[in-house]
């Protein structure tokens, strides 16, 4: 018991060493388009040194009647200039067409900063839909309401879509005659099948698995570097994902202990897991329960994340044992609960990976029926607690990363 206590505290100091972790080879996307919508500059560079091109006179903007370029009326310190300083405003349907040389999955990211653009005040009457083929990504989308409810100034919507045809066609349409729409940026990046699962993911509370094949699209809702810090798109594994801190999603007063890997533990991907699955920085940090075995029996380490009722969700939990003194089975064994139901009991990461420093993930599907009471949202609870049934050496539990996706409904929609 004392060993772990000693290790959990000083390891916080190792945070600064993270930069030195060995670089796993990154995925190199065949297609990567960064479009700064409505920009008056043909080329702009964001704070991560990524280059964006304007959609003005761009081949990607295949139909733009009734649309124009405009600059945000008010500036905010917290809002990056690129791509949020400008937007394309549309009063009728517009279409962007992106040629995709690699048939398969792409991430489509849509960037929105509700502001006033020319005389179009997006905090009042911007309401629009976004469609891709048979998928409805956004319907009667109110970007201002969305940012307000999240307590943020801008929002990025990310979708994982299969492109079979060689082009990705994205259509934006105002909801009605009195409303308009806007978009500040569009990013398209071709990616490997990181989230597909043809064998099937186990569904909480059901015996038959859930297949994630080419007909399934995902909307990324949460992507957390649990126990670690923000990982920007440029530090991802080539897929340009952002990984956020987990602290604001922790439920209750028990935050456990955020830890970084021991310097003498190397993160090494097994042959069965592609190194683009998640950045080494995500696997190098974890949130454990407290160093007190007996306190850990009195609470669950819990994250609470707001999601919509009436949809199905993919939940991915990333694990990697980061302590050099945890390298044998039955040292740390724990249970995973999703919405108070047991998703997996007796998780022993060393038993699954055979060694510390080896990344691993688990997927689960959670189906949330529509709420008869009419509540459109609820909180998804992800909770861990020690499994003491085989008397492990420590009563603890940990998590390195967490991703939550909404799965399109039978109508191909993500909208309520
Ligand atoms: C756009 O407007 C031009 C000029 O009014 C017209 O010729 C063209 O057909 C329109 N295109 C679409 C796609 O509506
Ligand atoms: C946009 O509308 C909001 C809400 O009515 C108002 O507070 C704001 O001043 C308007 N912005 C501009 C630039 O007119
Ligand atoms: C970790 O990697 C470094 C550099 O490649 C190597 O020198 C060291 O021996 C490795 N440590 C372990 C425990 O494998
Ligand atoms: C889990 O159970 C607790 C205690 O009964 C309850 O307060 C909470 O709402 C439940 N959470 C979910 C997501 O069902
Ligand atoms: C942890 O969560 C599970 C599932 O909701 C619950 O049965 C158990 O009582 C919780 N444990 C504690 C100590 O709160
Ligand atoms: C997702 O949408 C596609 C296209 O509309 C549809 O074929 C597929 O069945 C949907 N998936 C689910 C799980 O409903």
């Amino acid at each position: 018991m004392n060993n772990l206590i000693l290790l959990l505290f000083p390891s916080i100091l190792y945070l600064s060493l993270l930069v030195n972790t060995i670089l796993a080879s990154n995925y190199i996307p065949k297609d990567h388009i960064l479009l700064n919508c409505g920009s008056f500059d043909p080329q702009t560079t964001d704070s991560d040194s990524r280059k964006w091109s304007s959609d003005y006179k761009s081949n990607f903007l295949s139909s733009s009647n009734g649309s124009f370029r405009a600059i945000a009326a008010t500036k905010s310190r917290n809002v990056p200039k690129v791509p949020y300083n400008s937007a394309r405003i549309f009063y009728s349907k517009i279409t962007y067409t992106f040629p995709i040389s690699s048939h398969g999955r792409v991430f489509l990211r849509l960037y929105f900063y509700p502001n006033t653009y020319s005389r179009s005040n997006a905090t009042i009457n911007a309401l629009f839909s976004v469609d891709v083929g048979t998928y409805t990504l956004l319907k009667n989308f109110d970007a201002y309401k969305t940012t307000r409810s999240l307590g943020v100034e801008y929002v990025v919507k990310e979708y994982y879509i299969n492109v079979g045809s060689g082009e990705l066609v994205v259509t934006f349409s105002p909801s009605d005659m009195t409303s308009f729409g806007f978009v500040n940026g569009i990013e398209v990046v071709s990616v490997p099948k990181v989230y597909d699962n043809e064998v099937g993911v186990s569904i909480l509370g059901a015996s038959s698995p859930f297949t994630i094949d080419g007909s399934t699209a995902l909307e990324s809702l949460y992507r957390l570097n649990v126990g670690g810090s923000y990982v920007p798109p440029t530090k991802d594994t080539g897929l340009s994902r952002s990984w956020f801190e987990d602290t604001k999603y922790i439920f209750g007063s028990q935050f456990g202990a955020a830890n970084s890997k021991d310097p003498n533990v190397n993160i090494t991907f097994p042959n069965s897991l592609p190194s683009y699955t998640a950045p080494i920085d995500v696997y190098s940090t974890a949130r454990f329960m407290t160093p007190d075995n007996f306190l850990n029996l009195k609470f669950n380490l819990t994250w609470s994340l707001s999601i919509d009722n009436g949809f199905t969700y993919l939940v991915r939990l990333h694990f990697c044992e980061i302590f050099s003194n945890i390298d044998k089975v039955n040292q740390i064994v724990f249970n995973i609960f999703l919405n108070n139901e047991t998703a997996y009991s007796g998780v022993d990461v060393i038993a699954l990976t055979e060694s510390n420093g080896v990344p691993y993930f688990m997927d689960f599907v959670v189906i949330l029926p529509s709420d008869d009471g009419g509540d459109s949202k609820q909180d998804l609870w992800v909770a861990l607690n020690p499994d003491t049934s085989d008397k492990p050496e420590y009563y603890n539990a940990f998590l390195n990363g967490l991703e939550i996706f909404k799965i399109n409904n039978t109508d191909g929609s993500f909208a309520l």
Side-chain angles (χ1 to χ4, degrees), residues 307-380:
I307 54 176
D308 296 331
N309 280 316
F311 282 89
T312 299
Y313 295 87
L314 172 66
V315 179
R316 174 169 290 188
L317 294 95
H318 296 269
F319 298 105
C320 182
E321 178 51 68
I322 55 175
F323 289 119
S324 54
N325 65 329
I326 309 288
D327 58 357
K328 289 181 274 303
V329 294
N330 210 33
Q331 286 189 286
I332 295 180
V333 186
F334 56 90
N335 302 310
I336 304 170
F337 303 101
L338 295 175
N339 276 356
N340 289 334
E341 278 185 57
T342 304
Y344 205 109
S345 55
V347 179
D348 184 335
V349 173
I350 294 297
L352 294 164
T353 59
E354 293 173 8
S355 164
N356 51 25
V358 177
Y360 191 85
F361 73 78
M362 284 186 187
D363 283 348
F364 301 99
V365 161
V366 180
I367 301 174
L368 286 193
S370 304
D371 186 318
D372 294 336
D375 257 356
S376 64
K377 293 210 175 273
Q378 70 156 269
D379 290 324
L380 173 70

Coordinates of all heavy atoms in Angstrom, one line a residue, residues 307-380:
I307 N -25.9 14.5 -22.2 CA -26.2 14.0 -23.6 C -27.7 14.0 -23.8 O -28.5 14.2 -22.9 CB -25.7 12.5 -23.8 CG1 -26.2 11.6 -22.7 CG2 -24.2 12.5 -23.8 CD1 -25.8 10.2 -22.9
D308 N -28.1 13.8 -25.1 CA -29.5 13.9 -25.5 C -30.2 12.5 -25.3 O -29.7 11.5 -25.6 CB -29.7 14.3 -26.9 CG -29.2 15.7 -27.2 OD1 -29.2 16.5 -26.3 OD2 -28.7 15.9 -28.4
N309 N -31.4 12.6 -24.8 CA -32.2 11.4 -24.7 C -32.6 10.9 -26.1 O -32.6 11.7 -27.0 CB -33.5 11.6 -23.9 CG -33.2 11.6 -22.4 OD1 -32.5 10.7 -21.9 ND2 -33.8 12.5 -21.7
G310 N -33.0 9.7 -26.3 CA -33.5 9.2 -27.5 C -32.5 8.8 -28.6 O -32.8 8.7 -29.7
F311 N -31.2 8.7 -28.1 CA -30.1 8.4 -29.1 C -29.3 7.2 -28.5 O -29.4 6.9 -27.3 CB -29.2 9.6 -29.4 CG -29.8 10.5 -30.3 CD1 -30.6 11.6 -29.9 CD2 -29.6 10.4 -31.7 CE1 -31.2 12.5 -30.7 CE2 -30.2 11.3 -32.6 CZ -31.0 12.3 -32.1
T312 N -28.4 6.7 -29.4 CA -27.5 5.6 -29.0 C -26.1 6.2 -29.0 O -25.8 7.1 -29.8 CB -27.6 4.5 -30.0 OG1 -29.0 4.0 -29.9 CG2 -26.7 3.3 -29.7
Y313 N -25.3 5.8 -28.0 CA -24.0 6.4 -27.8 C -22.9 5.4 -27.8 O -23.1 4.2 -27.3 CB -23.9 7.2 -26.5 CG -24.9 8.4 -26.5 CD1 -26.2 8.2 -26.2 CD2 -24.4 9.6 -27.0 CE1 -27.1 9.3 -26.3 CE2 -25.3 10.7 -27.1 CZ -26.6 10.5 -26.7 OH -27.5 11.6 -26.9
L314 N -21.7 5.7 -28.4 CA -20.5 4.9 -28.3 C -19.6 5.5 -27.2 O -19.3 6.7 -27.3 CB -19.8 4.9 -29.7 CG -18.4 4.2 -29.7 CD1 -18.5 2.7 -29.4 CD2 -17.7 4.5 -31.0
V315 N -19.3 4.7 -26.3 CA -18.4 5.2 -25.2 C -17.1 4.5 -25.3 O -17.1 3.2 -25.2 CB -19.1 5.0 -23.8 CG1 -18.1 5.5 -22.7 CG2 -20.4 5.7 -23.7
R316 N -16.0 5.2 -25.4 CA -14.6 4.5 -25.5 C -13.8 5.0 -24.3 O -13.6 6.1 -24.1 CB -13.9 4.9 -26.8 CG -12.5 4.4 -26.9 CD -11.9 4.5 -28.3 NE -12.5 3.5 -29.2 CZ -12.1 3.3 -30.4 NH1 -11.1 3.9 -30.9 NH2 -12.7 2.4 -31.2
L317 N -13.3 4.0 -23.5 CA -12.5 4.2 -22.4 C -11.1 3.8 -22.7 O -10.9 2.6 -23.2 CB -13.0 3.5 -21.2 CG -14.4 4.0 -20.6 CD1 -15.4 3.1 -21.2 CD2 -14.4 3.9 -19.1
H318 N -10.1 4.7 -22.5 CA -8.7 4.4 -22.8 C -7.9 4.1 -21.5 O -8.1 4.9 -20.5 CB -8.0 5.5 -23.5 CG -8.5 5.9 -24.9 ND1 -8.0 5.3 -26.0 CD2 -9.5 6.7 -25.2 CE1 -8.7 5.8 -27.1 NE2 -9.6 6.6 -26.6
F319 N -7.1 3.0 -21.5 CA -6.4 2.6 -20.3 C -4.9 2.4 -20.7 O -4.6 1.9 -21.8 CB -6.9 1.3 -19.8 CG -8.4 1.4 -19.3 CD1 -9.4 0.8 -20.1 CD2 -8.7 2.0 -18.1 CE1 -10.7 0.9 -19.7 CE2 -10.0 2.1 -17.7 CZ -11.0 1.5 -18.5
C320 N -4.1 2.7 -19.7 CA -2.7 2.4 -19.8 C -2.1 2.5 -18.4 O -2.2 3.5 -17.7 CB -1.9 3.3 -20.8 SG -0.2 2.9 -21.0
E321 N -1.5 1.4 -17.9 CA -0.9 1.4 -16.6 C 0.4 2.2 -16.6 O 1.3 1.9 -17.4 CB -0.7 0.0 -16.0 CG -0.1 -0.1 -14.7 CD -0.8 0.8 -13.6 OE1 -1.9 0.5 -13.3 OE2 -0.2 1.8 -13.2
I322 N 0.5 3.3 -15.8 CA 1.6 4.2 -16.0 C 2.6 4.1 -14.8 O 3.6 4.9 -14.8 CB 1.1 5.7 -16.1 CG1 0.2 6.0 -15.0 CG2 0.5 5.8 -17.5 CD1 -0.2 7.5 -15.0
F323 N 2.4 3.2 -13.9 CA 3.3 3.1 -12.7 C 4.2 1.9 -12.9 O 3.8 0.8 -13.2 CB 2.6 3.0 -11.4 CG 2.0 4.3 -11.0 CD1 0.6 4.4 -10.9 CD2 2.7 5.4 -10.8 CE1 0.0 5.6 -10.5 CE2 2.2 6.6 -10.5 CZ 0.8 6.7 -10.3
S324 N 5.5 2.0 -12.6 CA 6.5 0.9 -12.8 C 6.3 -0.2 -11.8 O 6.6 -1.3 -12.0 CB 7.9 1.5 -12.8 OG 8.1 2.2 -11.6
N325 N 5.7 0.2 -10.6 CA 5.5 -0.9 -9.6 C 4.2 -1.6 -9.8 O 3.8 -2.5 -9.0 CB 5.6 -0.3 -8.2 CG 4.5 0.7 -7.9 OD1 4.0 1.4 -8.8 ND2 4.1 0.8 -6.7
I326 N 3.4 -1.2 -10.8 CA 2.2 -2.0 -11.1 C 2.4 -2.8 -12.4 O 2.3 -2.2 -13.5 CB 0.9 -1.1 -11.3 CG1 0.8 -0.1 -10.1 CG2 -0.3 -1.9 -11.5 CD1 0.3 -0.7 -8.8
D327 N 2.9 -4.0 -12.3 CA 3.2 -4.8 -13.5 C 2.8 -6.2 -13.3 O 3.2 -7.1 -14.2 CB 4.7 -4.7 -13.8 CG 5.6 -5.1 -12.7 OD1 5.0 -5.5 -11.6 OD2 6.8 -5.2 -12.8
K328 N 2.0 -6.5 -12.3 CA 1.5 -7.9 -12.1 C 0.0 -7.9 -12.0 O -0.6 -6.9 -11.7 CB 2.1 -8.5 -10.8 CG 3.6 -8.7 -10.9 CD 4.2 -9.3 -9.7 CE 4.6 -8.3 -8.6 NZ 5.6 -7.3 -9.1
V329 N -0.6 -9.0 -12.4 CA -2.0 -9.1 -12.3 C -2.4 -9.1 -10.8 O -1.6 -9.3 -9.9 CB -2.6 -10.4 -12.9 CG1 -2.4 -10.4 -14.4 CG2 -2.0 -11.7 -12.3
N330 N -3.7 -8.7 -10.6 CA -4.3 -8.5 -9.3 C -3.6 -7.5 -8.3 O -3.6 -7.7 -7.1 CB -4.4 -9.9 -8.6 CG -5.6 -10.0 -7.6 OD1 -6.6 -9.3 -7.9 ND2 -5.5 -10.7 -6.5
Q331 N -3.1 -6.5 -9.0 CA -2.6 -5.4 -8.1 C -3.6 -4.3 -8.1 O -3.9 -3.8 -7.0 CB -1.2 -4.8 -8.7 CG 0.0 -5.7 -8.4 CD 1.2 -5.1 -8.8 OE1 1.6 -4.9 -10.0 NE2 2.0 -4.6 -7.8
I332 N -4.2 -3.9 -9.2 CA -5.3 -3.0 -9.3 C -6.4 -3.6 -10.1 O -6.2 -3.9 -11.3 CB -4.9 -1.6 -9.9 CG1 -3.9 -0.9 -9.0 CG2 -6.1 -0.7 -10.1 CD1 -3.4 0.4 -9.5
V333 N -7.6 -3.8 -9.6 CA -8.7 -4.4 -10.3 C -9.9 -3.5 -10.0 O -10.2 -3.2 -8.8 CB -9.0 -5.9 -9.8 CG1 -10.0 -6.5 -10.7 CG2 -7.7 -6.7 -9.9
F334 N -10.7 -3.2 -11.0 CA -11.8 -2.3 -10.8 C -13.0 -2.6 -11.7 O -12.9 -3.4 -12.6 CB -11.3 -0.8 -10.9 CG -10.7 -0.5 -12.3 CD1 -11.5 -0.1 -13.3 CD2 -9.3 -0.6 -12.5 CE1 -10.9 0.3 -14.6 CE2 -8.7 -0.3 -13.7 CZ -9.5 0.1 -14.7
N335 N -14.1 -1.9 -11.3 CA -15.4 -2.1 -12.1 C -15.7 -0.8 -12.9 O -15.3 0.3 -12.4 CB -16.5 -2.3 -11.1 CG -16.3 -3.6 -10.3 OD1 -16.0 -4.6 -10.8 ND2 -16.4 -3.4 -9.0
I336 N -16.3 -1.0 -14.0 CA -16.8 0.2 -14.8 C -18.3 0.2 -14.8 O -18.9 -0.8 -15.1 CB -16.3 0.1 -16.3 CG1 -14.8 -0.1 -16.3 CG2 -16.8 1.3 -17.1 CD1 -14.3 -0.4 -17.7
F337 N -18.9 1.3 -14.4 CA -20.3 1.5 -14.5 C -20.7 2.6 -15.5 O -20.0 3.6 -15.5 CB -20.9 1.9 -13.1 CG -20.6 1.0 -12.0 CD1 -19.5 1.3 -11.1 CD2 -21.3 -0.2 -11.8 CE1 -19.2 0.4 -10.0 CE2 -21.0 -1.1 -10.8 CZ -19.9 -0.8 -9.9
L338 N -21.7 2.3 -16.3 CA -22.2 3.4 -17.1 C -23.7 3.6 -16.7 O -24.4 2.6 -16.7 CB -22.1 3.0 -18.6 CG -20.7 2.8 -19.1 CD1 -20.7 2.3 -20.6 CD2 -19.9 4.1 -19.1
N339 N -24.0 4.8 -16.4 CA -25.4 5.1 -15.9 C -25.8 4.1 -14.8 O -26.9 3.6 -14.8 CB -26.4 5.1 -17.1 CG -26.4 6.4 -17.7 OD1 -25.8 7.4 -17.3 ND2 -27.2 6.5 -18.8
N340 N -24.9 3.9 -13.9 CA -25.2 3.0 -12.7 C -25.4 1.6 -13.0 O -25.6 0.8 -12.1 CB -26.5 3.5 -12.0 CG -26.3 4.8 -11.2 OD1 -25.2 5.2 -10.9 ND2 -27.4 5.5 -11.0
E341 N -25.1 1.2 -14.2 CA -25.2 -0.3 -14.6 C -23.8 -0.8 -14.8 O -22.9 0.0 -15.3 CB -26.0 -0.5 -15.9 CG -27.5 -0.5 -15.7 CD -28.1 -0.9 -17.0 OE1 -27.8 -2.0 -17.6 OE2 -28.9 -0.1 -17.5
T342 N -23.5 -2.0 -14.4 CA -22.2 -2.6 -14.6 C -21.9 -2.8 -16.1 O -22.6 -3.5 -16.7 CB -22.1 -3.9 -13.8 OG1 -22.4 -3.7 -12.5 CG2 -20.7 -4.5 -14.0
A343 N -20.9 -2.1 -16.6 CA -20.5 -2.3 -18.0 C -19.4 -3.4 -18.1 O -19.4 -4.2 -19.0 CB -20.0 -1.0 -18.5
Y344 N -18.6 -3.4 -17.1 CA -17.5 -4.4 -17.1 C -17.0 -4.5 -15.6 O -16.7 -3.5 -15.0 CB -16.3 -3.9 -17.9 CG -15.4 -5.0 -18.5 CD1 -15.5 -5.3 -19.8 CD2 -14.6 -5.7 -17.7 CE1 -14.7 -6.3 -20.4 CE2 -13.7 -6.7 -18.2 CZ -13.8 -7.0 -19.5 OH -13.0 -8.0 -20.1
S345 N -17.0 -5.7 -15.1 CA -16.5 -5.9 -13.7 C -15.1 -6.6 -13.8 O -14.9 -7.4 -14.7 CB -17.5 -6.5 -12.8 OG -17.8 -7.8 -13.4
G346 N -14.3 -6.3 -12.8 CA -13.0 -7.0 -12.7 C -12.0 -6.6 -13.8 O -11.3 -7.4 -14.3
V347 N -11.9 -5.3 -14.1 CA -10.9 -4.9 -15.1 C -9.6 -4.9 -14.5 O -9.3 -4.2 -13.4 CB -11.2 -3.4 -15.6 CG1 -10.2 -3.0 -16.6 CG2 -12.6 -3.3 -16.2
D348 N -8.6 -5.7 -15.0 CA -7.3 -5.7 -14.6 C -6.4 -5.4 -15.8 O -6.2 -6.2 -16.6 CB -6.9 -7.1 -14.0 CG -5.5 -7.2 -13.4 OD1 -4.7 -6.4 -13.8 OD2 -5.3 -8.1 -12.6
V349 N -6.0 -4.1 -15.9 CA -5.3 -3.6 -17.1 C -4.1 -4.4 -17.4 O -3.8 -4.8 -18.5 CB -5.1 -2.1 -17.0 CG1 -4.2 -1.6 -18.2 CG2 -6.4 -1.3 -17.0
I350 N -3.3 -4.8 -16.4 CA -2.1 -5.6 -16.6 C -2.5 -7.0 -17.2 O -1.8 -7.5 -18.1 CB -1.3 -5.8 -15.3 CG1 -0.7 -4.4 -14.9 CG2 -0.1 -6.7 -15.5 CD1 0.2 -3.7 -15.8
A351 N -3.6 -7.6 -16.7 CA -4.0 -8.8 -17.3 C -4.4 -8.7 -18.8 O -4.2 -9.6 -19.6 CB -5.2 -9.4 -16.5
L352 N -4.9 -7.5 -19.1 CA -5.3 -7.3 -20.5 C -4.1 -6.9 -21.4 O -4.1 -7.3 -22.6 CB -6.3 -6.2 -20.6 CG -7.7 -6.5 -19.9 CD1 -8.5 -5.2 -19.6 CD2 -8.5 -7.5 -20.7
T353 N -3.1 -6.3 -20.9 CA -2.0 -5.7 -21.7 C -0.7 -6.5 -21.5 O 0.2 -6.3 -22.3 CB -1.8 -4.3 -21.4 OG1 -1.4 -4.1 -20.0 CG2 -3.0 -3.4 -21.7
E354 N -0.7 -7.3 -20.4 CA 0.5 -8.1 -20.1 C 1.7 -7.3 -19.5 O 2.7 -7.8 -19.1 CB 1.0 -8.9 -21.3 CG 0.0 -10.0 -21.6 CD 0.3 -10.8 -22.9 OE1 1.4 -10.6 -23.4 OE2 -0.5 -11.6 -23.3
S355 N 1.5 -5.9 -19.6 CA 2.7 -5.1 -19.1 C 2.2 -3.7 -18.8 O 1.2 -3.3 -19.3 CB 3.8 -5.1 -20.2 OG 4.7 -4.1 -19.9
N356 N 2.9 -3.0 -18.0 CA 2.6 -1.6 -17.9 C 3.1 -0.8 -19.1 O 3.9 -1.4 -19.9 CB 3.1 -1.0 -16.6 CG 4.6 -1.2 -16.3 OD1 5.3 -1.5 -17.3 ND2 5.0 -1.3 -15.1
G357 N 2.6 0.4 -19.3 CA 3.0 1.2 -20.5 C 2.4 0.7 -21.8 O 2.8 1.2 -22.9
V358 N 1.4 -0.2 -21.7 CA 0.8 -0.6 -23.0 C -0.6 -0.1 -23.1 O -1.4 -0.4 -22.2 CB 0.9 -2.2 -23.1 CG1 0.1 -2.7 -24.3 CG2 2.3 -2.7 -23.0
P359 N -0.9 0.6 -24.1 CA -2.3 1.2 -24.3 C -3.3 0.1 -24.6 O -3.0 -0.9 -25.2 CB -2.1 2.2 -25.5 CG -0.7 2.5 -25.6 CD 0.0 1.2 -25.1
Y360 N -4.6 0.5 -24.2 CA -5.7 -0.5 -24.4 C -6.9 0.4 -24.4 O -7.0 1.4 -23.7 CB -5.7 -1.4 -23.2 CG -6.7 -2.6 -23.4 CD1 -6.3 -3.8 -24.1 CD2 -8.0 -2.5 -22.9 CE1 -7.1 -4.8 -24.2 CE2 -8.8 -3.6 -23.0 CZ -8.4 -4.7 -23.7 OH -9.3 -5.8 -23.9
F361 N -8.0 0.0 -25.1 CA -9.2 0.7 -24.9 C -10.4 -0.3 -24.9 O -10.3 -1.5 -25.4 CB -9.4 1.7 -26.0 CG -9.7 1.2 -27.4 CD1 -11.0 0.8 -27.7 CD2 -8.8 1.2 -28.4 CE1 -11.3 0.3 -29.0 CE2 -9.0 0.8 -29.7 CZ -10.3 0.3 -30.0
M362 N -11.5 0.2 -24.4 CA -12.8 -0.6 -24.3 C -13.9 0.2 -24.9 O -14.0 1.4 -24.5 CB -13.1 -1.0 -22.9 CG -12.3 -2.1 -22.3 SD -13.0 -2.5 -20.7 CE -11.7 -3.7 -20.2
D363 N -14.7 -0.4 -25.7 CA -15.9 0.3 -26.3 C -17.2 -0.2 -25.7 O -17.3 -1.5 -25.5 CB -16.0 0.2 -27.8 CG -15.0 1.0 -28.5 OD1 -14.4 2.0 -27.9 OD2 -14.8 0.8 -29.7
F364 N -18.1 0.6 -25.4 CA -19.5 0.2 -25.0 C -20.5 1.0 -25.8 O -20.2 2.2 -26.1 CB -19.7 0.4 -23.5 CG -18.7 -0.3 -22.7 CD1 -17.6 0.3 -22.1 CD2 -18.9 -1.7 -22.4 CE1 -16.6 -0.4 -21.4 CE2 -17.9 -2.4 -21.6 CZ -16.8 -1.7 -21.1
V365 N -21.7 0.4 -26.0 CA -22.8 1.2 -26.6 C -23.9 1.3 -25.5 O -24.2 0.4 -24.8 CB -23.3 0.5 -27.9 CG1 -24.7 1.0 -28.2 CG2 -22.3 0.8 -29.0
V366 N -24.4 2.5 -25.4 CA -25.4 2.8 -24.4 C -26.6 3.4 -25.2 O -26.5 4.3 -26.0 CB -25.0 3.9 -23.4 CG1 -26.1 4.2 -22.4 CG2 -23.7 3.4 -22.7
I367 N -27.8 2.8 -25.0 CA -29.0 3.2 -25.6 C -29.8 4.0 -24.6 O -30.2 3.5 -23.6 CB -29.8 2.0 -26.2 CG1 -28.9 1.2 -27.2 CG2 -31.1 2.5 -26.9 CD1 -29.6 0.0 -27.7
L368 N -30.1 5.2 -25.0 CA -31.0 6.1 -24.1 C -32.4 6.2 -24.8 O -32.5 6.9 -25.8 CB -30.4 7.5 -23.9 CG -29.2 7.6 -23.0 CD1 -29.0 9.1 -22.8 CD2 -29.3 6.9 -21.7
P369 N -33.4 5.7 -24.2 CA -34.7 5.9 -24.8 C -35.2 7.3 -24.6 O -34.6 8.1 -23.8 CB -35.6 4.9 -23.9 CG -34.8 4.5 -22.8 CD -33.4 4.9 -23.0
S370 N -36.1 7.7 -25.4 CA -36.7 9.1 -25.3 C -37.3 9.2 -23.9 O -37.9 8.2 -23.4 CB -37.7 9.4 -26.3 OG -37.1 9.2 -27.6
D371 N -37.3 10.3 -23.3 CA -37.9 10.5 -22.0 C -39.3 10.9 -22.1 O -39.7 11.9 -22.8 CB -37.1 11.6 -21.3 CG -37.6 11.8 -19.8 OD1 -38.8 11.7 -19.6 OD2 -36.7 12.0 -18.9
D372 N -40.2 10.1 -21.5 CA -41.6 10.3 -21.6 C -42.0 11.7 -21.0 O -42.9 12.4 -21.4 CB -42.5 9.2 -21.0 CG -42.3 7.9 -21.7 OD1 -42.0 8.0 -22.9 OD2 -42.5 6.8 -21.1
G373 N -41.2 12.0 -20.0 CA -41.5 13.3 -19.3 C -41.1 14.5 -20.2 O -41.4 15.6 -19.8
G374 N -40.5 14.3 -21.3 CA -40.1 15.3 -22.3 C -38.8 16.0 -22.0 O -38.4 16.9 -22.7
D375 N -38.0 15.4 -21.1 CA -36.7 16.0 -20.9 C -35.8 15.6 -22.1 O -35.7 14.4 -22.4 CB -36.1 15.4 -19.6 CG -36.1 16.4 -18.4 OD1 -36.5 17.5 -18.7 OD2 -35.7 16.0 -17.3
S376 N -35.2 16.6 -22.7 CA -34.4 16.2 -23.9 C -33.0 15.8 -23.5 O -32.3 15.1 -24.3 CB -34.4 17.4 -24.9 OG -33.7 18.5 -24.3
K377 N -32.5 16.2 -22.3 CA -31.2 15.9 -21.9 C -31.1 15.1 -20.6 O -32.0 15.2 -19.8 CB -30.4 17.2 -21.7 CG -30.2 18.0 -23.0 CD -28.9 18.8 -23.0 CE -28.6 19.5 -24.3 NZ -27.9 18.7 -25.2
Q378 N -30.0 14.3 -20.5 CA -29.7 13.7 -19.2 C -28.2 13.6 -19.1 O -27.5 13.9 -20.0 CB -30.4 12.4 -19.1 CG -29.8 11.3 -19.9 CD -30.1 9.9 -19.3 OE1 -29.3 9.4 -18.6 NE2 -31.3 9.3 -19.6
D379 N -27.8 13.2 -17.9 CA -26.3 13.1 -17.7 C -25.9 11.6 -17.9 O -26.6 10.7 -17.3 CB -25.9 13.6 -16.3 CG -26.0 15.1 -16.2 OD1 -25.8 15.8 -17.3 OD2 -26.4 15.6 -15.2
L380 N -24.9 11.4 -18.7 CA -24.3 10.1 -18.7 C -23.3 10.0 -17.6 O -22.4 10.8 -17.5 CB -23.7 9.8 -20.1 CG -22.9 8.5 -20.3 CD1 -23.8 7.3 -20.3 CD2 -22.0 8.5 -21.5

